[in-house]
Amino acid sequence: MRHTDLYLTRSYSLMQKRLHPDTIFFLGDLFDGGREWATEGEKSHSPEERYRRYGQKFWLREFQRFGRIFFDHWGDGGMEAGQGQRGRRMIASLPGNHDLGLGVGIQKPVRDRFGAYFGESNRVDVVGNHTFVSVDTVSLSAMSQADPSTGSQGAGESSGPKTEHENIWMPVEEFLNGAKAAKRRAVGREIRFLGGKVEDLRHEHAIAQMRDTRLRLGSLDAGEGSAEFPTILLTHVPLYRPPGTPCGPKREHWPPSVAQAKGQPLENDERNAIAVRAGYQYQNVLTPEISKLLVEKIGNVAHVFSGDDHDYCEVIHKGYTAGTAGGGGLLEITVKSISWAMGVRKPGFSMLSLWNPVDEVGNPISAKGERLTESEATVDANGTMQSHLCLLPDQLGIFLRYALFLGLTILALAVRAALIVSSGGEGGLLSSQAGDYDKEGPLLPITRSREGSSSAEEEKAAYANHPSQPDHSDQDGSQGLNSSLAAHPSDGLSVRTNNRPRSRSPGGYGYALSTSHSPSPPAASSMGNFQPANDGAVSSVGGGEWAKESKRRRGGRIRVMSLELARSLWRVGSVALIWYLWLVWRG
């Protein structure tokens, strides 16, 4: 979650600095589970047991989290609005099914809480001489669902008090019934603002008699047939379309089929389309009846923007002729999610450029300042807006590249450690451990033939075969140590004789010299070497001793290589981690 918030913060801040938009509209799903989190005083609760431990405090923490990401960075690019705009605005009051729920699953305390913090869900705003109408379609969807208490749909037949079911969708229907008048009033306020006049009329300007005490309120509604701006409908749930209606080549998760990708558009492409289905607290598209009701009640709809699906989708609706600008089809764009954790590799947003010059009463004019005829204005209504899909970095791809470079780094360091150990090490840890193995002599046993044996080896072999010959030098000392060893022509070994007299220990001190015979001590050259010399055999360490020595050598080298690899990883990893944390901290 921390990295997701950091990604959103950096992307949103960069958007403010580079693009500096005058107005930002959010299309719902501001929270992941706002519909499930209980309100103050436990006036609402989730039907699922796993969410009942989340209450008002958790919702408020999530609201603060939303504010840290978007509210706190709203002015990163400055607070000055563009030329001709009344000020910069952020409008986040349109709810999604994750904020409130859907249809009969919406709880009134949950909806009231959302409206208290984000504003009225159903509203009319004028931006760039275009009228934006936001409609709470997740609540309106309850109109097409059965009332749990009566089993009826729509307004029902009862003339009594409203049921809980009717309290969900009827406020939206009342807004739609007055949407055209609300649009005219909003346009009237904008025209007065552009003309430098007071926006709102408190009272009607007229001469009245003193006895007439009635205060007649003024109205900005010029009535039907007055000037009107092109209308853009904002809804969280997309409008209805037949199953399999393609979304176009900009859809990332499910691109078009091969035939459509080659420039042959298909009328039906299930893989590339938004699935027409519904489930617990969600509905991918509105019903045909509600979709038609929206377009007709609002009127003069030129474009539609929706959310919910997380991926991009562009559809031209041919079935909505009444209530559309020009009647030649209604363009709907389903906007991408801005978060990389919503199932798309490249998040994004839609950037709109609006251009609709008008005269002093709100009628459209050409670039030369000439007033357009009614037919020209109808055709031009679809050309006053341009939309561009802006993609954000592929964060998942960045993580995959990090993992690839990590693997290559570990491989390179492992090869380096192996090369150092095989070459005997270079100072410090390696020279003290790996270098000692090379000082012990040859790694493999050395073999020599009998003819090539040295005299020292012959002495060792002779002594091994005759270890108990007596010493006859007790009288005159003329016989040397090795004179008692005879030559053995049978095995080809000759023994070196030594005629040096052996000295006696001096007598005295009351001690007599011993006259017994004992085995002769080994020669100095053969001390510590008691290898038996078999006939024609190899002079070597025993098989068991050699296996242990070889195993010790291998284990030591692996241990030293592991230590060198760990030391290298620590050095490289610590530097890389410090650099990465510095970049994250700097944003």
Side-chain angles (χ1 to χ4, degrees):
M1 184 178 72
R2 170 63 181 167
H3 202 92
T4 301
D5 290 357
L6 180 63
Y7 179 90
L8 289 172
T9 302
R10 296 178 65 181
S11 301
Y12 182 76
S13 177
L14 188 62
M15 180 201 309
Q16 297 296 329
K17 295 175 182 178
R18 296 288 182 86
L19 302 179
H20 192 63
D22 291 320
T23 305
I24 289 182
F25 288 95
F26 289 85
L27 299 183
D29 280 352
L30 309 184
F31 299 97
D32 186 38
R35 66 192 179 198
E36 312 288 354
W37 304 330
T39 56
E40 188 70 30
E42 301 295 331
K43 295 179 181 179
S44 67
H45 64 275
S46 172
E48 296 192 18
E49 184 66 29
R50 57 177 175 160
Y51 293 117
R52 292 184 181 178
R53 59 192 180 97
Y54 300 103
Q56 179 74 1
K57 292 183 178 180
F58 187 82
W59 191 94
L60 290 175
R61 285 200 299 269
E62 290 298 293
F63 176 76
Q64 293 173 354
R65 176 188 168 199
F66 182 89
R68 286 193 301 270
I69 297 173
F70 299 106
F71 297 156
D72 293 353
H73 295 275
W74 170 244
D76 286 359
M79 295 302 295
E80 295 295 328
Q83 184 178 3
Q85 300 302 312
R86 58 174 64 231
R88 301 188 69 217
R89 285 175 283 182
M90 179 194 300
I91 302 173
S93 60
L94 187 67
N97 59 304
H98 283 268
D99 302 316
L100 305 184
L102 182 79
V104 296
I106 295 177
Q107 302 180 67
K108 191 174 183 299
V110 173
R111 186 172 65 180
D112 293 342
R113 176 180 61 186
F114 186 88
Y117 283 87
F118 288 101
E120 180 59 42
S121 300
N122 304 291
R123 56 185 296 155
V124 176
D125 298 278
V126 175
V127 179
N129 292 345
H130 287 72
T131 305
F132 287 80
V133 181
S134 303
V135 181
D136 177 13
T137 52
V138 293
S139 297
L140 186 62
S141 297
M143 177 186 290
S144 62
Q145 298 175 352
D147 189 337
S149 59
T150 63
S152 61
Q153 290 183 345
E157 300 176 356
S158 175
S159 59
K162 295 180 181 178
T163 64
E164 289 294 328
H165 177 258
E166 292 174 332
N167 283 329
I168 296 175
W169 59 266
M170 287 196 70
V172 187
E173 186 187 43
E174 292 172 358
F175 168 78
L176 290 176
N177 290 335
K180 292 180 180 179
K183 285 168 48 182
R184 291 193 294 266
R185 290 193 295 270
V187 171
R189 281 191 293 270
E190 190 70 13
I191 294 299
R192 294 182 65 85
F193 169 79
L194 295 176
K197 302 177 182 179
V198 178
E199 298 178 32
D200 293 315
L201 293 176
R202 297 299 180 185
H203 302 283
E204 182 179 349
H205 291 263
I207 299 175
Q209 299 295 327
M210 290 293 296
R211 62 178 180 271
D212 189 1
T213 57
R214 294 176 298 173
L215 297 177
R216 289 172 289 185
L217 299 179
S219 174
L220 292 172
D221 184 3
E224 295 184 4
S226 59
E228 187 174 0
F229 294 158
T231 301
I232 298 175
L233 170 62
L234 304 181
T235 167
H236 177 72
V237 184
L239 299 181
Y240 177 81
R241 72 285 311 277
T245 302
C247 285
K250 295 181 181 180
R251 189 166 177 82
E252 174 191 333
H253 193 60
W254 299 109
S257 299
V258 177
Q260 186 174 351
K262 292 182 178 179
Q264 303 174 4
L266 302 177
E267 294 183 2
N268 189 288
D269 189 353
E270 290 285 351
R271 186 173 181 270
N272 184 240
I274 294 179
V276 181
R277 59 170 177 257
Y280 171 72
Q281 297 282 40
Y282 83 91
Q283 184 175 306
N284 289 343
V285 296
L286 298 172
T287 62
E289 296 77 16
I290 291 181
S291 301
K292 183 179 179 180
L293 177 70
L294 275 175
V295 177
E296 292 180 354
K297 289 285 188 181
I298 294 174
N300 194 35
V301 179
H303 301 280
V304 179
F305 288 91
S306 57
D308 185 67
D309 187 66
H310 301 169
D311 204 352
Y312 187 87
C313 183
E314 186 172 327
V315 175
I316 297 179
H317 298 280
K318 298 293 186 180
Y320 305 107
T321 54
T324 60
L330 182 60
L331 173 64
E332 178 182 0
I333 294 176
T334 300
V335 181
K336 260 195 168 188
S337 172
I338 197 176
S339 173
W340 70 277
M342 293 292 107
V344 288
R345 291 281 297 270
K346 296 180 179 180
F349 59 92
S350 291
M351 181 178 65
L352 305 184
S353 297
L354 306 176
W355 170 253
N356 182 33
V358 296
D359 59 14
E360 65 277 1
V361 294
N363 294 313
I365 58 176
S366 64
K368 298 180 180 180
E370 301 175 354
R371 181 175 177 178
L372 301 178
T373 63
E374 183 177 354
S375 59
E376 291 175 337
T378 301
V379 173
D380 192 62
N382 291 321
T384 60
M385 184 203 77
Q386 288 185 348
S387 173
H388 182 74
L389 173 61
C390 300
L391 298 178
L392 299 177
D394 179 8
Q395 186 63 51
L396 184 59
I398 294 174
F399 284 153
L400 291 177
R401 286 194 289 273
Y402 284 169
L404 175 61
F405 285 124
L406 175 62
L408 293 176
T409 302
I410 294 175
L411 179 61
L413 294 178
V415 172
R416 173 183 176 275
L419 291 176
I420 290 178
V421 172
S422 64
S423 63
E426 297 179 359
L429 174 67
L430 294 176
S431 63
S432 63
Q433 297 189 39
D436 291 341
Y437 296 104
D438 295 331
K439 297 176 182 178
E440 297 180 0
L443 182 63
L444 297 177
I446 297 177
T447 62
R448 288 182 180 273
S449 63
R450 290 176 295 181
E451 290 77 11
S453 299
S454 65
S455 60
E457 292 173 348
E458 293 172 354
E459 278 189 358
K460 297 176 187 178
Y463 180 78
N465 292 331
H466 304 280
S468 303
Q469 293 294 329
D471 187 1
H472 300 285
S473 59
D474 58 325
Q475 297 296 328
D476 54 4
S478 62
Q479 191 71 17
L481 171 65
N482 294 321
S483 62
S484 60
L485 302 179
H488 297 274
S490 60
D491 56 5
L493 296 177
S494 61
V495 181
R496 180 179 57 189
T497 60
N498 189 357
N499 294 324
R500 289 182 304 172
R502 178 186 175 118
S503 61
R504 291 177 179 269
S505 296
Y509 306 105
Y511 292 97
L513 295 176
S514 174
T515 57
S516 61
H517 297 278
S518 61
S520 301
S525 61
S526 62
M527 293 295 289
N529 295 278
F530 297 99
Q531 301 98 335
N534 296 327
D535 220 9
V538 175
S539 174
S540 64
V541 181
E545 294 295 331
W546 161 244
K548 292 180 182 180
E549 177 69 12
S550 177
K551 184 177 181 180
R552 186 174 71 86
R553 285 173 175 270
R554 288 195 300 268
R557 289 183 179 276
I558 293 175
R559 183 174 65 255
V560 174
M561 176 180 171
S562 301
L563 291 174
E564 173 62 20
L565 177 60
R567 186 172 63 173
S568 302
L569 286 175
W570 168 251
R571 289 178 176 177
V572 176
S574 59
V575 175
L577 182 61
I578 292 173
W579 175 248
Y580 177 76
L581 293 177
W582 185 83
L583 291 177
V584 171
W585 177 72
R586 293 281 296 180

